Amino acid sequence: MTRLPFLALFLILSLASFGQKTQALWYKQPARNWNEALPVGNGRLGVMVFGKVNEELLQLNEETLWSGGPVNRNPNPGVAKFLPEVREALFREDYAQAAKLTQKLQGLYSDAYQPLGDLVLKQPLTGTATNYYRDLDITNATATTRFTIDGVTYTREIFVSAPDQVIVIRLTSSKKGALNFTAATRSPHPISKTVPGRDELVMRGKAPAHADPNYVNYNKQAVIYTDSAGCKGMRFDWRVKVKSTDGQASTDTAGIRIQGATEAVLYVTAATSFNGFDKCPDSDGRDEKKLAETYLSKAMAKSAALLRRDHIADYRKLANRMSLTLNSEAAPVDLPMDERLKRYTDGAADPALESLYFAFGRYLLISSSRPKKEGEPGVPANLQGIWNPMVRPPWSSNFTTNINAEMNYWPAEMANLSELHTPLLDWIGNMAATGRETTRNFYNMGGWTVHHNSDIWGLSNPVGDKGKGSPSWANWAMGGAWLSQHLWDHYAYTGDRTYLKGYAYPLMKGAAQFCLDWLVDDQKGHLVTAPSTSPENVFVTEKGEKNSVSVATTMDMALIWDVFSNTIQASEQLNMDADFRQKLLDAKKKLFPLQIGKKGNLQEWYKDWEDEDPQHRHVSHLYALHPGREVSPLTTPALANAARKTLEIRGDDGTGWSKSWKINFWARLHDGNHAYKLLRELLKLTGMEGTNYNKGGGTYPNLLCAHPPFQIDGNFGGTSGIGEMLLQSHDGVLNLLPARPDAWASGEVKGLKARGGYELDMTWANGKLTRVVVRSTLGGNCRLRVPGTLTAAGLKPSSGVNPNPFYALPVSQYRTQTPETATNGVAVYDLATAPGKSYVLVGAR
Ligand code: FUC
């Protein structure tokens, strides 16, 4: 036998004998804390699995369980009168006075996402556990814990079924009758427990009528459970039932006891009285008891094996649309995830970890963001997806729209999970409903917007508790513009005209209308925003004054450019609203322009001021580069260079999501090696707990991103960053491998999506594409920009303006070259495609 086959055989055998899987996060010890526990979920129900031996902890969530109730849409009446005063102060450059007055334009804080409670599996085992193993297998969305005590192996499997809306927990012992445990429940909320039978436990309770954000500490009571009006305070009903066991089951309020079993299967489900963002969850709530009973009784009619089969089929329908392999010839790394991350942090190569991180991002979206179905609302993934154990979680675990809520959905379209985008898209409609009243009540203006925080109640007002919040974050008014990009992108990827006409366009138009009303003439020929902030940074004026409120920050102008451009293109596609389109075209021409500062950077502020914190985590002024499309190395090279300079000045440090955003920026600058450097830093193992705004970042042992604390946006931004390194389609062409790092010399990606309804498979070796498959759903001219050369029937060098409407470039005063401009080693082709057809392109040898 030669050396190599022997080694291969050894590897196969050792992998098989330890049961370790390549698409799994696995560990040799239980989770010591939440950041080591493993998330499973079906979009609605979420569980953090700790894998403890004697007292297994399953921390539960239901996505609609929030504190509060419908928002007060006019919480601070009469404040619109201060806006002219703010503007007057700004135009006489009294920024301190302007900031003070801006604080008068504030309303109430958002409410907070709530935990449901814990299910604790108490297994009175003496002796030491050996052969301990736990994992989260993302090929079947199942968490397994296994260990041996006194010669008996105990196994627990847990998954959350989307088709059947239950959590399934299956416990087994290798020795007949050795399984004894009590399934106990507890909640941070007041609950009552009832016992409908010897095998079932029901918990009923109420979420708080209000919970202050964790950074508000001046109220006597931060969490209030009662609402004298009977409106707020969402009810919940949560049930645990034995599906089957060969042992004895008995139940009292202390829990469900199973004795002398070899196997026991528990079904767990929950429902709340949430009845929509504008309905009182208490007085006008849904019948949560009936909902939970129905989920459970339907599931009880099916065996665990059947539920598992249907769960896996449902999960794989989404998960298996894509795959990514990087440098497959690299030796596999067969280590527990904590050790694997440590090894990677120390500098070792592990391309399979990088592709696993991408797959894990898709797993998280599938597990935390499911479209609405009958009876289920479909709420967007919040700051923590759907996983939160705290009544006052960091930043209320809400929807933060000055980066975080959007970042959650950056991978949705490109990573072939378009329908998982719809919870956010649907939610925009709710925010717009309150947002229309916010713009009227706070500014006396039309259209709609949402400020930097929102919640399940569609909150849209500037937060800050009527003057107590810093305007650097509370008064940022551009959420409607940013969210509108998601409305447009969903169309740009899918070409769904019915959706564009009936749903997205009216909302985009409303967001654009607010921006039209919000802009003001600076008397020097430009339209500016005032007040204006650059989240959440502070400038230093020539006089040394520090402030955050000024006029026409670059981010504001870039966001308005974006929403105007997208709305103009949408109205062209729909061939409607020519008058409104013309208004937008006229205003767009007068927008205060992007500027290059004295350091050669893309300027952040109206004037070329210094930053109080030059390395601030937000890099808001590069919105135009990503996720916007105003700046691109292909079309506006001078501005792209300025953006690069900005990133160099900002530096590579940053919290979780900040680092993820920078990966996307560097990918958009076509600098794969720099993007890769940051990806490696994002995956740096951290155990840092608590909150750190400025430093920190990294990845916890459970592969969730650390702000710190945990925030899921960093995972999603990292996922989209990898996508942007492989394929871009925002600036007039399909740009294949635009930011491939040297470290990914070879690879294969399948199922990546591009705008205009294209789906691509790409294989590359030595940095050159060897095979590309283009599947077209909408047809049209597919213009490909590729490293190297490709051949295929019908593939021609590109000529003229790309006639594909999904690749039309918005009118721009900055464009100095076309995206087809050839550079060394890059070819640009046209391929005429027809809907439903596939095309195979082969790399020249
Ligand atoms: C923004 C960020 C913070 C944090 C919060 C949820 O306000 O500036 O760092 O991520 O959102």
Side-chain angles (χ1 to χ4, degrees):
M1 200 184 253
T2 62
R3 241 177 107 88
L4 213 67
F6 176 75
L7 196 72
L9 188 69
F10 173 77
L11 270 174
I12 291 165
L13 285 178
S14 60
L15 282 175
S17 62
F18 293 112
Q20 280 121 29
K21 307 156 192 164
T22 52
Q23 288 292 89
L25 291 59
W26 65 274
Y27 306 82
K28 291 194 289 198
Q29 70 286 329
R32 285 167 300 183
N33 56 39
W34 203 88
N35 298 325
E36 296 187 2
L38 295 169
V40 287
N42 67 358
R44 192 177 73 84
L45 299 165
V47 188
M48 286 303 276
V49 184
F50 282 66
K52 290 175 183 278
V53 172
N54 285 311
E55 281 221 355
E56 167 61 319
L57 174 57
L58 304 171
Q59 185 260 307
L60 308 177
N61 284 102
E62 204 275 3
E63 68 169 349
T64 61
L65 192 66
W66 286 64
S67 63
V71 290
N72 177 350
R73 299 186 184 194
N74 194 8
N76 205 356
V79 292
K81 65 169 182 281
F82 293 111
L83 182 60
E85 293 180 34
V86 171
R87 289 183 165 172
E88 197 265 328
L90 283 170
F91 288 118
R92 72 184 145 76
E93 302 191 6
D94 186 348
Y95 300 111
Q97 176 65 3
K100 229 187 260 162
L101 287 164
T102 300
Q103 282 182 295
K104 292 191 184 285
L105 300 167
Q106 291 180 354
L108 302 176
Y109 283 114
S110 81
D111 261 289
Y113 181 52
Q114 295 297 315
L116 190 64
D118 297 333
L119 180 63
V120 182
L121 306 177
K122 299 180 182 170
Q123 238 171 314
L125 296 164
T126 48
T128 316
T130 55
N131 294 331
Y132 183 92
Y133 173 86
R134 72 183 167 108
D135 77 12
L136 170 62
D137 183 342
I138 63 167
T139 65
N140 57 18
T142 302
T144 302
T145 306
R146 191 172 56 230
F147 52 85
T148 304
I149 290 188
D150 291 336
V152 183
T153 299
Y154 298 91
T155 307
R156 306 181 196 124
E157 267 175 16
I158 171 160
F159 63 87
V160 190
S161 159
D164 291 293
Q165 291 298 319
V166 281
I167 301 161
V168 177
I169 306 163
R170 180 168 170 264
L171 300 97
T172 57
S173 66
S174 63
K175 185 175 153 205
K176 199 166 164 42
L179 187 63
N180 300 298
F181 70 94
T182 302
T185 58
R186 63 183 182 218
S187 174
H189 310 299
I191 51 170
S192 67
K193 299 185 189 182
T194 52
V195 181
R198 65 178 174 77
D199 56 359
E200 186 176 2
L201 188 57
V202 176
M203 277 60 57
R204 312 205 65 214
K206 246 186 182 186
H210 176 68
D212 277 345
N214 65 330
Y215 48 85
V216 168
N217 287 309
Y218 47 76
N219 289 322
K220 246 206 330 256
Q221 256 189 302
V223 179
I224 301 168
Y225 274 93
T226 44
D227 172 20
S228 52
C231 168
K232 299 182 177 186
M234 200 185 297
R235 297 186 306 272
F236 58 86
D237 181 299
W238 153 40
R239 301 170 174 243
V240 187
K241 189 165 183 166
V242 183
K243 164 61 186 167
S244 59
T245 183
D246 58 343
Q248 291 293 316
S250 61
T251 304
D252 57 30
T253 52
I256 299 179
R257 238 181 323 280
I258 301 284
Q259 280 172 310
T262 318
E263 183 189 90
V265 179
L266 305 179
Y267 288 0
V268 182
T269 198
T272 75
S273 60
F274 180 67
N275 196 15
F277 76 106
D278 53 354
K279 303 251 170 46
C280 290
D282 195 359
S283 50
D284 207 5
R286 298 173 75 197
D287 186 346
E288 74 287 356
K289 179 167 177 277
K290 194 159 155 228
L291 283 168
E293 266 169 5
T294 311
Y295 288 137
L296 193 58
S297 62
K298 281 195 180 160
M300 288 298 284
K302 290 170 83 169
S303 69
L306 200 56
L307 288 183
R308 184 168 191 278
R309 192 199 68 185
D310 293 349
H311 157 68
I312 292 177
D314 169 81
Y315 172 73
R316 288 191 178 155
K317 212 170 59 209
L318 297 162
N320 291 0
R321 283 182 196 161
M322 269 208 72
S323 67
L324 172 64
T325 314
L326 297 165
N327 291 5
S328 57
E329 60 284 357
V333 180
D334 182 26
L335 283 176
M337 187 50 77
D338 44 352
E339 293 175 33
R340 191 170 176 181
L341 280 168
K342 172 79 176 55
R343 178 180 173 274
Y344 186 80
T345 305
D346 291 342
D350 190 352
L353 176 64
E354 291 152 2
S355 54
L356 178 62
Y357 189 78
F358 181 80
F360 184 61
R362 295 184 74 250
Y363 165 84
L364 289 175
L365 199 66
I366 298 170
S367 307
S368 65
S369 181
R370 291 294 189 111
K372 69 170 174 245
K373 271 205 222 137
E374 222 188 317
E376 303 149 29
V379 181
N382 63 48
L383 285 173
Q384 300 184 186
I386 52 169
W387 299 279
N388 160 45
M390 282 174 255
V391 175
R392 294 180 69 201
W395 292 283
S396 303
S397 196
N398 69 11
F399 308 121
T400 304
T401 61
N402 67 13
I403 175 66
N404 321 85
E406 291 89 351
M407 184 179 275
N408 280 2
Y409 286 89
W410 287 349
E413 299 291 340
M414 65 160 74
N416 212 333
L417 295 170
S418 181
E419 68 269 56
L420 305 190
H421 204 174
T422 57
L424 176 70
L425 304 176
D426 290 348
W427 222 260
I428 296 173
N430 299 344
M431 298 188 214
T434 74
R436 263 184 205 99
E437 295 182 53
T438 290
T439 55
R440 193 174 57 232
N441 295 330
F442 282 79
Y443 310 128
N444 235 328
M445 288 177 189
W448 69 276
T449 197
V450 48
H451 294 75
H452 101 299
N453 273 182
S454 190
D455 58 15
I456 200 169
W457 312 110
L459 178 96
S460 55
N461 66 208
V463 296
D465 203 5
K466 303 187 191 177
K468 300 191 190 76
S470 163
S472 70
W473 37 268
N475 291 88
W476 178 80
M478 289 290 118
W482 194 333
L483 290 164
S484 292
Q485 189 192 57
H486 287 257
L487 294 168
W488 170 247
D489 265 353
H490 185 64
Y491 170 73
Y493 276 88
T494 61
D496 183 346
R497 292 177 73 85
T498 315
Y499 149 85
L500 183 66
K501 186 164 185 195
Y503 184 74
Y505 179 72
L507 288 170
M508 293 167 68
K509 183 177 175 183
Q513 180 64 58
F514 167 68
C515 292
L516 275 179
D517 291 3
W518 184 239
L519 285 164
V520 31
D521 201 322
D522 70 351
Q523 305 298 326
K524 295 176 205 149
H526 284 122
L527 293 174
V528 297
T529 51
S532 178
T533 57
S534 189
E536 307 177 3
N537 207 359
V538 167
F539 56 81
V540 188
T541 66
E542 338 44 70
K543 296 180 212 144
E545 282 171 34
K546 292 180 182 173
N547 224 307
S548 60
V549 182
S550 61
V551 300
T553 60
T554 300
M555 185 199 221
D556 274 6
M557 304 324 290
L559 275 159
I560 294 177
W561 188 94
D562 200 54
V563 68
F564 282 3
S565 300
N566 296 339
T567 310
I568 290 165
Q569 289 196 322
S571 81
E572 281 166 353
Q573 293 265 315
L574 297 169
N575 199 14
M576 61 191 274
D577 247 355
D579 293 348
F580 186 69
R581 188 191 317 145
Q582 195 53 50
K583 273 194 203 166
L584 296 180
L585 282 163
D586 293 344
K588 200 175 134 179
K589 268 192 243 153
K590 291 172 70 184
L591 291 178
F592 188 74
L594 299 175
Q595 304 179 86
I596 298 180
K598 54 181 176 290
K599 295 178 184 153
N601 55 321
L602 189 70
Q603 215 169 289
E604 180 164 5
W605 311 97
Y606 185 61
K607 297 196 178 178
D608 199 2
W609 290 321
E610 296 292 326
D611 288 325
E612 182 190 43
D613 174 6
Q615 269 102 48
H616 197 275
R617 64 191 179 284
H618 285 264
V619 199
S620 311
H621 43 318
L622 294 199
Y623 177 90
L625 174 68
H626 181 275
R629 52 189 173 133
E630 192 177 3
V631 171
S632 151
L634 295 187
T635 56
T636 64
L639 287 172
N641 280 336
R644 171 182 281 268
K645 191 73 203 162
T646 289
L647 283 174
E648 285 165 5
I649 295 170
R650 253 337 189 238
D652 288 344
D653 283 348
T655 59
W657 59 259
S658 171
K659 184 93 70 183
S660 294
W661 199 357
K662 288 172 187 169
I663 297 171
N664 289 270
F665 287 139
W666 284 106
R668 285 269 175 110
L669 289 174
H670 304 165
D671 190 334
N673 286 338
H674 206 124
Y676 181 73
K677 170 183 181 279
L678 294 174
L679 177 64
R680 288 199 68 104
E681 290 171 13
L682 181 70
L683 281 162
K684 178 189 79 183
L685 178 66
T686 181
M688 200 193 281
E689 308 227 359
T691 301
N692 190 331
Y693 277 51
N694 301 310
K695 291 267 169 326
T699 294
Y700 292 117
N702 61 7
L703 219 50
L704 290 175
C705 191
H707 183 296
F710 157 58
Q711 241 174 246
I712 206 164
D713 39 24
N715 284 91
F716 290 132
T719 308
S720 77
I722 294 172
E724 293 278 347
M725 289 161 82
L726 300 172
L727 178 65
Q728 294 174 18
S729 63
H730 61 285
D731 52 3
V733 289
L734 280 88
N735 202 349
L736 276 53
L737 302 184
R740 182 193 58 78
D742 293 339
W744 298 346
S746 70
E748 182 179 62
V749 63
K750 289 185 168 170
L752 211 47
K753 284 275 193 174
R755 288 168 181 80
Y758 295 110
E759 187 179 308
L760 265 72
D761 299 344
M762 296 186 281
T763 314
W764 68 97
N766 298 323
K768 293 268 179 300
L769 285 162
T770 52
R771 190 168 188 271
V772 176
V773 181
V774 176
R775 285 180 288 278
S776 170
T777 56
L778 304 170
N781 182 56
C782 181
R783 181 161 291 179
L784 299 151
R785 197 181 154 94
V786 300
T789 42
L790 292 174
T791 55
L795 191 70
K796 297 196 263 239
S798 73
S799 82
V801 174
N802 190 349
N804 188 325
F806 293 98
Y807 286 81
L809 295 171
V811 175
S812 165
Q813 72 194 81
Y814 306 110
R815 195 171 306 126
T816 53
Q817 65 183 41
T818 67
E820 294 81 22
T821 309
T823 44
N824 272 350
V826 170
V828 187
Y829 298 106
D830 279 344
L831 177 72
T833 66
K837 290 266 181 326
S838 300
Y839 305 84
V840 180
L841 292 66
V842 185
R845 302 220 166 240

